[in-house]
Amino acid sequence: MSPVHTLGHFLRTLPASAAATFLALFPIVDPFGGIPVFFTMTSSWTYRDRCRTALKTGIWVFVILVTFLFFGRFVLHFFGISLPVLKIAGGLIVANTAWGMVTSHARITPEENQEAQEKDDISLTPLAMPLMSGPGAIGVVMALAANVDNLAAYIGMVLGIFAIALSVVLFFWLGGPLVRRLGLTAVGAINKIFGFLILAIAVQLVSDGIADFRS
């Protein structure tokens, strides 16, 4: 392949991979749905402390997802887990998350919420993990990475994850006035829409895993 063709392939693959990663992760990470939880946990904090925590949460989201992007394949090989099994297991986890959103169940447990009230730094747990980059998001990243075999696609996926982390920071920074303007009812309705989209992603993951077993 000539250098011109190689460059053209790189420039086509990178943005496509970045966009696919962002679109696959955004409904599952759901930064919009995390705004009420974030502001509830930081209601007594100063604006500066809240912004700092939002930034640290975004950084942790990026670190967690990129780590599983590059090392998830080794984890699968170590435990002898095949890609079809990963897709089905990831689909079931994502479906559980989606069902909780559709039925308005809390995204974090009461125990995790109580622990957060007693911590000075909640950016890693429970905000980044499990609220934003939980098992569902990690499973999707690992499933996407399992089919990647070139540098451009990897760079694109990293950029897509960076965009997701940036969206978490921006939504947490700017989400307070938005939630107050929309009201909790509207936020709940939007969350249910995201939950339906995530449920569709979960069904697709399970379907793909079953199809891989049959092929």
Side-chain angles (χ1 to χ4, degrees), residues 31-46:
F32 182 82
I35 294 173
V37 179
F38 174 74
F39 276 87
T40 297
M41 289 183 174
T42 61
S43 59
S44 60
W45 294 15
T46 64

Side-chain angles (χ1 to χ4, degrees), residues 22 26 29 31-32 54-63 65 132 158-174:
F22 179 83
F26 188 84
V29 175
F32 182 82
L55 179 60
K56 292 175 66 175
T57 301
I59 292 173
W60 278 119
V61 168
F62 179 80
V63 170
L65 295 182
M132 296 284 95
V158 171
L159 291 176
I161 292 173
F162 175 79
I164 286 292
L166 181 61
S167 71
V168 170
V169 176
L170 293 178
F171 271 82
F172 282 4
W173 276 352
L174 307 174

